[in-house]
Amino acid sequence: MIKTLKFGGTSVGSAANMRRVAGIILSEGARLTVLSAMSGTTDALVKISAAAKAGDDATAKATLAMLRDKYTTCIAELLTSHAAAASERMEDVLTTIANELFTYRGEVSDKLILAQGELLTSAIFCHHMQELGHKAVLLTSPEFMHTDPEGKPDTARLRQELTRLVTQTDPDIYYIAQGFICTDAAGNLSNLGRGGSDYSAALMGVAIDSDEVQIWTDIDGMHNNDPRVVDKTFPIRRMSFDEAAELAYFGAKILHPLTIQPCKEAGINVRLKNSMEPQAEGTLISAGEDNAMDFHAVAAKDGITVVRITSARMLMAYGFLRKVFEVFEKYKTPVDMITTSEVEVSLTIDSTCHLEEIARELAPFGSLEIDHNNTIVCIVGCIDAQHTGLAARIFDGLKEIPIKMISYGANHRSMAILVSTEYKKPTLQALNDHLFGHESAK
Ligand code: ADP
Ligand code: ASP
Ligand code: MG
């Protein structure tokens, strides 16, 4: 069985955790392992490049020094015979960052800086595997993970180049690659977006025809609600690809939103596992029926902006919505929720990069209202029109919550509501108590 395993930042966040990861790789017999940077690294690198751009050299230097300490400690605790080689690699990485910061100043490439975390962590980890006496080969993901001008991964090229590197001839070789990082269409180091290592693992797992992709993190699988926000959540043992994709898209941080799609298309199961507790069952995501439970899970996506257009021209007209959507298409801005009345349309977006241009182009259509700081709450379950009383049960729990938008009936598996972000926690907690109170008490 060919397995691709991915370990997130916490899983490789210390020497002790890296040792545990090595044990998991060996016991699973992973062919390919995809690693994130040690926890806190990417945030620190974001801080460093922002500080350098703002001319705040003191913060940039102090944060870089903090990273040096963190990696020095890890190397000292993890490695012996390979310690010098790993330290040399660390010095190279720190020099690359410092050169970029202090040579290019305001023009620094944050993508180049951000990539260093995964490069360094994977190098240290590979030394650990080698020191343990295993044949571990360090791959360089930007050599085979390329994106097009739209930022979409070139999966055909990935398959061709990765299968060439990951040979099937020696089953004892453990290949180690970096998640998150890639080469963009201009040939520069880039990344697949924050949290993108899960997506890297899915794409690489498909490219080498894995039988299973395992995402190892710090929790025992997909929970029924966000455990960072809500008390008494519980793990879900099985989910369909569509349910998992919906939850990931609507904010379940355990999976990058794009992770499921490539695996679903290739029919490759995805297993979510806890590296801190490898015996825990985790969650198996596979093809097949959605769960038949009324309510299966809830997720929330923050940073949502509502664009509301009021126009008398909409009344009895056709083609109006097409023109509105063309504006969002032009600025490559996806729309999540939509509600309409005779003369109004409300849309939600999560990227406000082009909001100014969008608003300018929509202005001739009618009057515009823009409302920031909202959260979409998505309830996944068997939400089918034949099944009466489900909406009543959801809203019964939300009597105290001001609801701004509702999306119901787009599919049979989910329903979404929009609330102001200040109501996110009470909304999630109320849904948990109301819809899952019985199970969460177990
Ligand atoms: P990694 O660094 O391994 O990629 P992440 O922090 O990105 O880990 O994702 C794991 C975290 O996702 C968990 O620690 C948990 O707090 C959070 N999380 C949010 N929603 C869910 C959910 N529905 N089920 C499980 N974990 C969730
Ligand atoms: N290290 C990257 C991040 O923090 C990628 C990842 O963790 O998936 O976003
Ligand atoms: Mg993650």
Side-chain angles (χ1 to χ4, degrees):
M1 185 165 179
I2 299 177
K3 293 182 186 173
T4 296
L5 272 56
K6 176 259 169 177
F7 293 88
T10 323
S11 300
V12 289
S14 65
N17 289 1
M18 284 195 193
R19 282 200 183 89
R20 200 173 305 124
V21 166
I24 295 169
I25 291 173
L26 299 175
S27 68
E28 291 287 335
R31 172 153 291 267
L32 176 62
T33 299
V34 180
L35 300 180
S36 299
M38 288 180 82
S39 51
T41 306
T42 312
D43 286 343
L45 294 171
V46 168
K47 188 171 167 189
I48 288 171
S49 63
K53 279 186 181 165
D56 180 359
D57 286 6
T59 302
K61 283 184 179 154
T63 314
L64 203 52
M66 182 280 285
L67 279 183
R68 172 189 291 278
D69 286 350
K70 181 186 181 84
Y71 281 89
T72 304
T73 306
C74 175
I75 292 169
E77 288 176 5
L78 188 67
L79 301 172
T80 49
S81 59
H82 284 244
S87 298
E88 211 173 289
R89 185 73 184 98
M90 179 186 77
E91 291 305 333
D92 287 348
V93 160
L94 294 173
T95 308
T96 303
I97 298 172
N99 283 345
E100 184 68 17
L101 289 180
F102 303 116
T103 312
Y104 297 105
R105 302 243 153 221
E107 303 284 297
V108 297
S109 158
D110 25 8
K111 303 262 170 72
L112 181 140
I113 292 175
L114 259 57
Q116 304 307 316
E118 268 70 12
L119 288 168
L120 181 53
T121 301
S122 57
I124 294 173
F125 183 78
C126 191
H127 278 298
H128 175 51
M129 290 290 284
Q130 290 165 347
E131 218 179 72
L132 291 175
H134 302 291
K135 290 188 225 163
V137 173
L138 184 64
L139 304 175
T140 307
S141 300
E143 288 176 3
F144 46 83
M145 183 68 84
H146 296 265
T147 52
D148 69 11
E150 309 263 280
K152 270 183 62 192
D154 182 341
T155 51
R157 188 168 175 188
L158 173 65
R159 172 176 286 272
Q160 197 180 34
E161 296 181 9
L162 189 57
T163 42
R164 199 167 39 78
L165 292 166
V166 179
T167 59
Q168 309 286 314
T169 45
D170 187 347
D172 293 337
I173 297 182
Y174 298 96
Y175 293 93
I176 316 286
Q178 306 79 31
F180 182 54
I181 62 177
C182 61
T183 301
D184 69 13
N188 297 316
L189 261 182
S190 187
N191 62 64
L192 301 177
R194 292 303 306 269
S197 296
D198 304 329
Y199 187 33
S200 305
L203 293 166
M204 293 182 204
V206 169
I208 63 161
D209 291 325
S210 305
D211 297 290
E212 186 165 291
V213 170
Q214 300 183 352
I215 308 287
W216 289 79
T217 180
D218 58 0
I219 189 164
D220 54 348
M222 177 75 83
H223 277 220
N224 71 312
N225 207 327
D226 191 333
R228 296 165 303 173
V229 180
V230 162
D231 299 329
K232 296 194 182 145
T233 62
F234 54 86
I236 299 171
R237 297 302 172 208
R238 288 192 75 108
M239 319 198 79
S240 69
F241 286 125
D242 290 336
E243 287 177 307
E246 199 109 335
L247 290 168
Y249 185 75
F250 284 109
K253 190 187 175 236
I254 187 168
L255 277 180
H256 180 276
L258 300 176
T259 311
I260 295 298
Q261 195 55 33
C263 295
K264 178 186 168 184
E265 279 168 17
I268 297 174
N269 291 354
V270 178
R271 206 180 280 276
L272 309 182
K273 294 276 291 175
N274 186 356
S275 67
M276 312 297 155
E277 213 191 319
Q279 294 75 23
E281 190 180 335
T283 298
L284 176 63
I285 301 165
S286 58
E289 293 292 296
D290 294 341
N291 198 282
M293 277 155 68
D294 293 351
F295 301 110
H296 206 187
V298 175
K301 183 167 165 182
D302 296 330
I304 304 294
T305 296
V306 181
V307 179
R308 178 173 301 117
I309 309 153
T310 306
S311 170
R313 284 166 50 196
M314 230 183 121
L315 197 63
M316 308 289 285
Y318 53 84
F320 183 83
L321 288 178
R322 177 178 55 76
K323 289 184 200 135
V324 167
F325 275 107
E326 272 170 3
V327 174
F328 289 91
E329 187 185 344
K330 179 170 170 192
Y331 292 101
K332 299 188 169 75
T333 300
V335 170
D336 284 330
M337 284 176 81
I338 168 165
T339 55
T340 60
S341 71
E342 315 91 272
V343 293
E344 289 103 4
V345 53
S346 289
L347 306 149
T348 70
I349 54 176
D350 69 354
S351 160
T352 49
C353 295
H354 297 291
L355 185 57
E356 232 173 82
E357 297 98 308
I358 290 173
R360 201 171 41 240
E361 296 211 17
L362 288 176
F365 293 124
S367 63
L368 280 194
E369 267 172 71
I370 310 281
D371 173 18
H372 296 288
N373 298 326
N374 295 291
T375 296
I376 295 178
V377 176
C378 174
I379 301 134
V380 167
C382 182
I383 304 178
D384 171 331
Q386 310 302 321
H387 200 152
T388 54
L390 295 182
R393 278 167 63 198
I394 292 171
F395 292 115
D396 196 39
L398 301 178
K399 284 181 190 140
E400 310 296 323
I401 308 288
I403 295 169
K404 291 187 173 180
M405 280 171 72
I406 299 169
S407 172
Y408 184 86
N411 59 39
H412 291 177
R413 93 181 70 81
S414 72
M415 158 168 181
I417 59 172
L418 186 83
V419 296
S420 176
T421 299
E422 63 186 295
Y423 289 101
K424 170 185 171 176
K425 187 174 164 62
T427 303
L428 293 186
Q429 191 67 59
L431 289 171
N432 215 52
D433 298 345
H434 214 78
L435 305 180
F436 304 99
H438 177 65
E439 285 154 279
S440 58
K442 276 191 232 164

